Amino acid sequence: GELLVGYTFFWLLSIPALAAQVWMIQLFGGIEGYINVLAMRVVEFRGLGWLTSIIKTFSVINLVYFSYLVTRSKRKRRDVLIYTLHFGLFLFMGLLTGSRGSLLVNPVLMLLIYHHSVRHISLRWLFAFAFSAMMLASVLELARQGVSFGEEGLVTGLSTERQDDRKMSFRWAQYGTIPLDLVLDENNASKQLGFTYLTVITNFVPRAIWPTKPDTGGIVLTKEYTGDAWGGSSNLSTGLFPEAIINFGQPIGIVVGTLQFCALVGGLLLYYVGFRRRRLTNDRYQFIHSVRFAYISWAAMALIVGEFTNTMITLLIQLITLQVVAVLVRMFSRTRMAPQPLLQ
């Protein structure tokens, strides 16, 4: 049978994230004050991790909503229009984070889910999507430069007021190589001996309670390899190989990074085989399994260029939210059974 979950279900699940976003805005005196602190959000949002985590659940619910909609045998135009409104809210909240990833990752995951769960997407469309995503990433990089809200209204890097400073670039594409250059050029930094990986656990303890808790790989990289170039207002990401070198030094770190990469690729391939087998069983909860597959696949890729702790905590939030949604789906959905042929 096919599960039936009304659109009201997904909107009700979205209320905590929407309420958390409104609360976040009010903490900074309204939308103007909120926008004005986005450039310093690493500092300004410190201590508000619990609130940002609730906000992040909206993107998970939106992705489950999409997966459910596209895998249904029958869809009404009304259902598509109501989902479009939900997706529009997701885009708005993504812009409010000031992060390109918060805005662009979900469309990529939607494409991944559609490709593996509905029908294969041609290479031509994949290349077109990839090119569009890269151009949009560059525009967003420019737009968020000097974003503020003042007497003249909202000002971004695209505004005429900043025409002299406007400069289109693809510098974001170099982020994965910058950490590697830094760790390979530095021979005197102290080894972290694996402690940056343990911050996946220690990061849940507030620094007010444990002031000397270990720093994540990105913070160590920024402090020790750039001399804390941004004074704590921003941190570099690490990537799989640079973080291994930060922990164990160049010779051993490169070996550890290689082993991690092989384990990552091998584990993802095994997981994909299991996902494909489950697809053949016509599981009524396949739309949830497809979202889980998309998140795990993305995290595996993100670990190559991202910080271990940030990537894993993000994945943990996503999977926990997804599991809660799955439990609620089982509790509140009903099943429409396929019509049975008459006995002859």
Side-chain angles (χ1 to χ4, degrees), residues 34-93:
Y34 180 85
I35 290 175
N36 285 332
V37 302
L38 280 181
M40 296 289 290
R41 62 186 180 277
V42 172
V43 176
E44 297 290 345
F45 291 177
R46 194 166 290 163
L48 297 174
W50 63 274
L51 196 56
T52 58
S53 295
I54 296 174
I55 294 172
K56 287 177 181 178
T57 63
F58 190 89
S59 64
V60 181
I61 295 165
N62 181 264
L63 198 61
V64 178
Y65 193 172
F66 170 81
S67 183
Y68 169 75
L69 198 63
V70 298
T71 55
R72 287 190 65 184
S73 59
K74 294 181 180 180
R75 293 186 296 274
K76 297 179 180 179
R77 180 177 298 180
R78 181 191 64 179
D79 295 334
V80 176
L81 289 175
I82 294 174
Y83 169 75
T84 302
L85 177 60
H86 197 276
F87 184 68
L89 272 175
F90 159 74
L91 293 178
F92 177 69
M93 292 173 69

Side-chain angles (χ1 to χ4, degrees), residues 235-250:
N235 294 304
L236 290 170
S237 192
T238 48
L240 189 146
F241 281 95
E243 188 151 0
I245 293 172
I246 287 172
N247 279 283
F248 306 109
Q250 286 191 30

Side-chain angles (χ1 to χ4, degrees), residues 180 183 238-246 253-261 303-304:
L180 191 59
V183 297
T238 48
L240 189 146
F241 281 95
E243 188 151 0
I245 293 172
I246 287 172
I254 292 173
V255 174
V256 170
T258 302
L259 293 174
Q260 288 175 337
F261 180 78
L303 283 171
I304 298 174

